[in-house]
Amino acid sequence: MCGIVGCILKENKNVGSILFNCISKLEYRGYDSVGLATYDNDIAVKKAKGDIEKVNGKLNFNNMEGNLGIAHTRWASTGNPTDENAHPHLDETKSVAIVHNGTLENYAIIKEELIENGYCFKSTTDSEVIVNLIRKYMNEGLNLEGALRKTTENLKGSYAIVAFTKDEPDKIIATKKDSPLIVAYGDEGYFVASDMPAVLDYARNIIRPQEGEIAVLTKNGIEIHDENGHEVKRKFRYIGWTPEMAQKEGYDYFMIKEINEQSAAVKNTLGQKENIQKVINEIGKVNRICFVACGTSYHASITGKYLIESLAGIPTDVVIASEARYSAKTWDKDTLVIFISQSGETYDSLMVLKEAKKTSKTLAIVNVASSAMSEDAQYVIQTQAGPEIGVAATKTYVAQLTAIYLFSGLIAGNNKLIDELYEVPAYIDEAVGKSDSIKALSKRYDFADDAFYLGRGFSYPTALEGALKLKEITYIHAEGYAAGELKHGPLALIDEKIPVIVIIPPGDDFNKTMINLEEVKARGAIVLSIGAEGDEKIAENSGEFIEMNPNIKDIIAPLVYIVPLQLLSYYVTLDRGYNPDKPKNLAKVITV
Ligand code: AGP
């Protein structure tokens, strides 16, 4: 899940500072190491282990001159995070430079063969075979484009590659398979990157090269070549996201900015109601629905199952994308497979989409308009959260939920539920307004080694998502549980050292969840409840009580009750001295 960028500027200037600015915007894709290679009469490379700011402080990318170059920020997969494993990689003659995102399954065999043929390796990455293969084919007489094409014929796995050579110093070229890549242009020049936020400061007209195509960027423009080297004409799409949307705008971290943007994310996604109705009409009748997603998007999908089954009576499954191959065999032409994804680039989900298209109708609910998923699925609903940079999903989750609620309400013809959705932005703002009290509360939880989150019915996915938020950024072990399931095992773990967060909105399941709350209280747990303001029973039985607007009933609660849980995780993370935007070992977009 690395981030890659390449650019060729119309005029010769300080390409280092532009590349550095672009690659900084992709830090959410990985921050184990960073590096740049530029061309100014010769190839210059600077790279090192560490996050972007730290490495730049040491190496100063800004003074790298020339009009073209490539950059990389790494999330280590093959090979430890070290200076040697940082990209870009050069061949031994220092005449070809590449950056790579993805994983190569057969690199070990290729490496062995190249070593036998006298090629040298300095890193333990899979990526270094790419630069050596390109050099090998160029030694055999091919030009850079031909050599890259021949190289990719040897590769098994996923890749987005950007390359240049001092033998043809007027171009950079790029290609991809199962890893994201966009090509874009603006006033300054021509760009290639893993993701849009990288280039928004310079280029907003984009296309996405298809598998097998090679993008050739020169000072005069961009050409896309098919597998036979013939030019393919493509229409560039103008992207409405502004550079400001991907800035912190005075907030300390992206995560807190994005938590604050949640009411807008819901409001803007509610604006998609007509489009969603149109999509529903086009899809027509379906007998069965299956959601496919990962992580936070999987939690949104569980809410989707509960809604669709209870409101519309359509049998609905939810499958984790990486597990789908073990259960996806029974889909048919009357099945609608819904893919939920913030990035629209999650590898596991994309692989299932490829399969699902062969048998069934497919719908993608995605936040990134130009993503692979939005191009591959038959039908698309775009959530309107704007760019999300923090690794922990927040505003894209409530936007996904909003789209799912609209979709479910519309197929069930449930106008009451749809009307209620328009109250949600105000409820969210009220919840965000509790920020200071949750910050004070967080100090009582930052010591914990473990925590449990309990919820029942519509609050069960909220418990899963609350626990995921806590573990991914605070590194506290947390489990989300169906409240009624606790007594089937985990209750054995509950004692006076364990915080238990109980999600208990008003509704039909309230009394049952209250019994679960009392069960954990009886075992001495530190109980923090989230429920309706003024509820005396909750107050009496809880150590702490986050009081929510009492008009929020259980069915609508997932859209709002997640907010205090996000805030709690955010402030506990700060208390523990970590950066909430960059949790260790994680990246925003999982393309492997
Ligand atoms: C959660 O905070 C994570 N960012 C992660 O679980 C994420 O939801 C998952 O990787 C799926 O990503 P997607 O929505 O982009 O497909």
Side-chain angles (χ1 to χ4, degrees):
M1 286 98 71
C2 310
I4 59 176
V5 178
C7 79
I8 180 154
L9 306 175
K10 289 179 186 165
E11 279 165 35
N12 207 35
K13 54 169 146 183
N14 206 347
V15 73
S17 63
I18 291 183
L19 279 172
F20 174 61
N21 184 27
C22 292
I23 203 69
S24 304
K25 305 280 167 47
L26 290 187
E27 212 182 359
Y28 59 84
R29 297 183 64 91
Y31 27 84
D32 289 330
S33 64
V34 62
L36 264 65
T38 54
Y39 181 78
D40 190 22
N41 293 318
D42 202 356
I43 298 180
V45 176
K46 292 185 182 182
K47 60 179 189 173
K49 177 185 168 183
D51 73 38
I52 292 181
E53 278 306 330
K54 232 187 269 155
V55 176
N56 186 47
K58 215 163 59 181
L59 301 180
N60 191 8
F61 295 120
N62 293 310
N63 66 8
M64 296 177 81
E65 303 207 329
N67 82 317
L68 73 86
I70 56 180
H72 188 273
T73 182
R74 182 163 188 251
W75 181 86
S77 51
T78 308
N80 293 345
T82 61
D83 289 351
E84 295 72 31
N85 287 343
H87 296 219
H89 291 291
L90 261 55
D91 68 308
E92 209 193 354
T93 65
K94 295 192 171 37
S95 60
V96 182
I98 66 109
V99 286
H100 164 228
N101 168 36
T103 38
L104 304 179
E105 291 155 21
N106 60 338
Y107 83 96
I109 306 166
I110 301 175
K111 188 169 174 175
E112 219 176 284
E113 282 169 12
L114 284 165
I115 291 171
E116 275 170 21
N117 286 305
Y119 289 87
C120 290
F121 285 80
K122 294 191 200 71
S123 77
T124 55
T125 64
D126 51 353
S127 312
E128 205 181 354
V129 301
I130 298 171
V131 73
N132 276 319
L133 275 178
I134 293 177
R135 185 65 265 170
K136 172 176 175 274
Y137 292 124
M138 287 182 77
N139 289 344
E140 289 169 10
L142 292 176
N143 64 11
L144 178 66
E145 188 177 340
L148 177 62
R149 186 163 287 115
K150 195 94 197 223
T151 296
T152 57
E153 285 169 14
N154 289 270
L155 304 178
K156 285 207 182 104
S158 60
Y159 51 80
I161 302 165
V162 191
F164 72 91
T165 172
K166 67 178 183 185
D167 300 348
E168 299 167 42
D170 59 337
K171 62 173 71 101
I172 58 173
I173 66 172
T175 192
K176 63 149 274 172
K177 179 178 165 275
D178 297 336
S179 283
L181 190 75
I182 57 134
V183 178
Y185 70 84
D187 292 343
E188 303 256 5
Y190 305 95
F191 294 78
V192 52
S194 306
D195 216 347
M196 264 186 328
V199 300
L200 282 178
D201 281 342
Y202 311 101
R204 312 258 293 274
N205 299 287
I206 82 148
I207 48 162
R208 177 176 287 281
Q210 302 297 303
E211 247 165 59
E213 293 179 342
I214 291 187
V216 181
L217 285 67
T218 66
K219 254 170 131 163
N220 304 318
I222 298 169
E223 282 187 11
I224 304 293
H225 295 169
D226 67 14
E227 24 200 45
N228 302 313
H230 299 137
E231 190 180 350
V232 214
K233 287 284 174 212
R234 277 285 161 67
K235 216 168 150 229
F236 280 75
R237 223 160 113 186
Y238 182 78
I239 297 298
W241 285 6
T242 63
E244 295 71 39
M245 287 164 105
Q247 310 281 327
K248 280 193 214 141
E249 290 177 333
Y251 286 95
D252 291 339
Y253 293 98
F254 280 110
M255 184 176 175
I256 191 69
K257 177 190 175 227
E258 287 157 3
I259 288 173
N260 275 273
E261 288 171 342
Q262 293 191 107
S263 61
V266 171
K267 232 183 263 167
N268 294 337
T269 305
L270 284 172
Q272 291 294 299
K273 187 179 154 201
E274 273 179 30
N275 283 342
I276 296 177
Q277 182 62 65
K278 225 162 91 192
V279 167
I280 292 171
N281 297 344
E282 283 168 15
I283 291 171
K285 199 170 163 355
V286 291
N287 294 337
R288 189 177 158 202
I289 290 176
C290 184
F291 284 94
V292 178
C294 307
T296 293
S297 302
Y298 170 71
H299 301 152
S301 302
I302 302 174
T303 313
K305 171 187 163 67
Y306 286 4
L307 279 170
I308 292 171
E309 288 190 331
S310 63
L311 301 179
I314 303 173
T316 303
D317 300 316
V318 189
V319 190
I320 291 175
S322 58
E323 290 289 314
R325 75 171 81 159
Y326 310 109
S327 57
K329 307 276 187 310
T330 56
W331 296 339
D332 62 20
K333 63 175 181 29
D334 296 320
T335 307
L336 173 67
V337 189
I338 305 181
F339 294 82
I340 309 278
S341 177
Q342 173 280 128
S343 61
E345 302 288 353
T346 302
Y347 181 81
D348 288 325
S349 303
L350 285 174
M351 292 305 107
V352 185
L353 173 55
K354 246 185 198 174
E355 283 304 303
K357 276 165 73 175
K358 294 179 191 158
T359 55
S360 309
K361 301 177 184 187
T362 57
L363 163 67
I365 301 183
V366 290
N367 195 50
V368 179
S370 61
S371 57
M373 207 174 282
S374 64
E375 290 191 4
D376 287 359
Q378 200 177 351
Y379 305 100
V380 180
I381 294 172
Q382 204 201 328
T383 52
Q384 302 292 320
E388 185 177 75
I389 310 294
V391 166
T394 52
K395 63 174 178 170
T396 55
Y397 177 63
V398 295
Q400 288 170 344
L401 287 175
T402 306
I404 291 170
Y405 273 78
L406 276 175
F407 182 84
S408 313
L410 287 167
I411 51 172
N414 190 325
N415 293 332
K416 189 171 166 286
L417 177 75
I418 293 171
D419 289 347
E420 249 185 287
L421 292 177
Y422 292 85
E423 310 294 327
V424 167
Y427 293 149
I428 289 182
D429 282 337
E430 238 180 275
V432 173
K434 297 183 189 302
S435 212
D436 285 345
S437 56
I438 295 172
K439 184 177 179 180
L441 195 71
S442 69
K443 307 253 180 304
R444 284 174 229 166
Y445 294 90
D446 59 9
F447 69 90
D449 292 326
D450 305 279
F452 280 89
Y453 287 68
L454 304 186
R456 189 180 272 276
F458 285 108
S459 297
Y460 168 51
T462 310
L464 296 177
E465 177 58 11
L468 177 63
K469 287 287 92 79
L470 193 79
K471 66 187 138 195
E472 71 180 324
I473 59 172
T474 68
Y475 315 142
I476 295 172
H477 165 239
E479 301 259 10
Y481 256 92
E485 184 67 9
L486 205 67
K487 57 185 173 294
H488 298 287
L491 200 55
L493 294 168
I494 302 297
D495 62 24
E496 60 290 341
K497 293 190 290 299
I498 308 274
V500 180
I501 291 95
V502 185
I503 298 133
I504 180 166
D508 292 346
D509 296 328
F510 179 89
N511 288 336
K512 286 199 186 98
T513 310
M514 183 51 76
I515 294 170
N516 304 128
L517 193 161
E518 286 166 0
E519 280 166 2
V520 291
K521 186 188 165 214
R523 271 81 188 170
I526 307 161
V527 178
L528 164 61
S529 297
I530 306 180
E533 187 182 304
D535 190 303
E536 287 176 10
K537 207 154 174 218
I538 300 179
E540 264 165 39
N541 286 288
S542 310
E544 305 285 349
F545 180 19
I546 300 177
E547 299 187 53
M548 307 293 282
N549 188 315
N551 295 328
I552 307 168
K553 299 289 180 291
D554 52 1
I555 187 164
I556 216 86
L559 287 149
V560 191
Y561 274 46
I562 191 59
V563 176
L565 300 179
Q566 296 164 340
L567 286 166
L568 183 68
S569 299
Y570 174 76
Y571 287 116
V572 171
T573 305
L574 298 190
D575 292 343
R576 290 166 72 103
Y578 303 127
N579 178 342
D581 288 344
K582 294 183 199 168
K584 69 172 162 35
N585 306 337
L586 298 180
K588 183 75 183 160
V589 191
I590 313 292
T591 54
V592 291

